[in-house]
Amino acid sequence: MAASKERQIHSPPGLTASVWQYFRFYQRANETTDKTYTICKICKAKIKYLSNTTNMRQHLVRFHPETEKDPPTVPTTQRTILETVSKLPKNSQKAKSITKAIATFIATDLRPYSVGLDPNIRLFGYSGRKHFAEKEIPHLYNETKANVLASMEKASRIALTCDAWTSVATKSFVTITAHFVLASDKNGWKLVSHVLQTREMSESHTGANVAELLKLAAAEWQISDKDLVLVTDNASNMVVAAQKANFVHLKCYAHTANLASQKALKLAAVAKLLARIRRISTFFHRSTTGLHLLEENQKLLGLKRHKLKTDVCTRWNSAYEMTERFLEQQPAITATLLSPQLLQNTEPNTEDSPLVRDIKKAIHDDLSSRYTSEAEKSLLYTASALDPRFKALPFLSEEEREQTYGKVIAEAASLEQEVRVEEKTPEDNARAAAAVTSDTEEDQEKELPSAPPAKRSCTLLENLLGPAFTNQAPEPISAYTRAKDEMAKYRLALTPSLQEDPLLWWSVHQVLYPMIANVAKRYLCIPGSSVSAERVFSTAGDIVTAQRSTLKSEHIDQLVFLHKNVCVPDSGTDDEKSDEDE
């Protein structure tokens, strides 16, 4: 429609935004308003209208910036955010859901109980620290504990790790973690780990006291019948505790490797070299001038601006990382130390073959004194045989290999028989008892003289073809024979690469070796180290801070437990429910 046949009108009264004081619509000849475009009152430009003010505001900013000196007016009737929030009734379902969400936030994000005192949270009408500490967190703990118990109930064997630590308040705690393998047709094999408890232990950490703590924990978590394996460090009290608690015990490989490596690092030549690197690293950590010059030299030489590392005696690999970082930054370090501002006397030191031999001998001698128990070695050999990556057992003699394979075969057959006994119903047992009684009666009848059986007349077809087509039931194959056949096939299977996950391998191949797979679940759940318990210490350190050093031990236990387990889904009867929860 031509512009001459149109006339401009003011914007409709319902549009109250401040920008409308500069724009209007066209009105057609038939008295209808054309809202396809708006007309700028200042420059008469046509601006496409999309039911919002964005295009109009951009036009004003670009072509009429002088209009911005008048800020848009806010209606005096507009309420603030605080005024729009209304308190919910405490017993309402929405209020309960929000309270539970806040409790979960406290546990997962390591927040203090006093987060409930935040004014924005109290707007919803919830209580403060005491409410969360004494009601919400314990309720969430009991709920999550029930999920963990249901999860562990499905495990055939559970491995525990145990370690002690001291809080900033100089209170001693012992943390216990659990590990097991869950297998399902839909999700495959999955290694599941839970932090069970973190309990204060004020008495002496003797083997007897630790054993009592472990037995109480096993009873509380209903896992005493799960053929428990305990993984700890090499401390003598832990060895005694495992014996007194009647647990299969395995020493932490990481701790053992560290002890052996520390023996090598204490050799005179090695210790002298590490001491020099350590002094240089410590110097750059303490000297701001030296660190500044080092960073400048790193930039000039095109090296990454990495800080030097200093080793820690409790971690053997920290000495390796310190040396590796020193060699990486050696050009920049040399340039910095030889600068006129920082002149240091350093002497080069290279490792030669005799030194390498001394290091290997020191490590070998120390490792030879570890894992001396036959039960411990048998456990490690069996676990290696059931890991498809190491099933060839090249580190063992031929006799030891065959003994290990034989142990797996015997255990597989035993598990198969146990499963068959458990699966029998009372009717099956009654029939079995009746069969035994019948057999006994038959044996007794055999002892008495009896008349010879009556001869049955045979047909011509039976006389002709009977011997070739006699209907004889096949002889049953024993569980041991079937396990032996599975082991033979398993040993001949293609060995996967070292990068492959053994649990993923077994989830795919368990249909081929079902009896051996049952044994693998019992051994591949055992962690090689007790690191999982030690990792809890850092979490506990974030909870028991200097500002929260007076937390009760039961609250520490609940918060550590929830931080590690609160995401455990409710136990379902089918895999689909678990997937949805996860």
Side-chain angles (χ1 to χ4, degrees), residues 250-251 371 375-385 393 395:
L250 186 65
K251 299 184 183 71
Y371 300 122
E376 202 168 27
K377 288 194 292 185
S378 176
L379 179 66
L380 293 172
Y381 294 166
T382 304
S384 299
L393 303 178
F395 52 89

Side-chain angles (χ1 to χ4, degrees), residues 160 176 210-211 213-219 223-224 227-231 239 241-250:
L160 303 177
I176 300 174
V210 175
L213 177 68
L214 290 171
K215 288 190 289 187
L216 290 175
I223 57 176
S224 301
D227 196 10
L228 300 175
V229 177
L230 180 65
V231 182
V239 178
Q243 294 175 348
K244 289 185 175 295
N246 198 26
F247 290 169
V248 177
H249 184 236
L250 186 65

Side-chain angles (χ1 to χ4, degrees), residues 334-367:
T334 303
T336 304
L337 295 178
L338 294 178
S339 65
Q341 300 179 27
L342 296 170
L343 183 61
Q344 297 286 337
N345 294 324
T346 58
E347 298 180 2
N349 194 304
T350 58
E351 296 180 354
D352 50 15
S353 297
L355 179 59
V356 173
R357 287 197 298 269
D358 290 343
I359 291 175
K360 289 183 177 180
K361 184 177 184 304
I363 294 176
H364 180 270
D365 292 345
D366 189 82
L367 286 177

Side-chain angles (χ1 to χ4, degrees), residues 1-7 26-29 46:
M1 185 177 292
S4 60
K5 296 182 180 179
E6 299 174 342
R7 58 193 179 91
Y26 273 131
Q27 189 178 53
R28 297 189 181 95
K46 294 175 66 175

Side-chain angles (χ1 to χ4, degrees), residues 134-177:
E134 298 182 1
K135 184 176 180 180
E136 293 300 330
I137 294 296
H139 176 73
L140 184 60
Y141 171 82
N142 292 331
E143 185 180 279
T144 307
K145 183 176 181 179
N147 293 337
V148 173
L149 286 169
S151 175
M152 292 193 298
E153 187 179 2
K154 304 173 184 177
S156 59
R157 187 181 211 175
I158 292 180
L160 303 177
T161 67
C162 175
D163 212 338
W165 57 281
T166 304
S167 70
V168 294
T170 63
K171 291 184 178 180
S172 181
F173 294 86
V174 174
T175 294
I176 300 174
T177 69

Side-chain angles (χ1 to χ4, degrees), residues 503-518:
L503 296 183
L504 178 60
W505 189 94
W506 271 113
S507 66
V508 175
H509 294 82
Q510 63 177 335
V511 294
L512 300 177
Y513 323 106
M515 297 179 69
I516 304 299
N518 288 334

Side-chain angles (χ1 to χ4, degrees), residues 291-292 294-300 302-308 325 328-329 332:
L291 180 60
H292 177 69
L294 177 63
E295 291 176 347
E296 287 186 348
N297 286 318
Q298 287 173 335
K299 185 177 181 180
L300 290 173
L303 299 174
K304 293 182 179 180
R305 295 180 61 180
H306 286 161
K307 291 184 178 181
L308 299 183
R325 180 61 57 83
E328 172 194 300
Q329 300 293 332

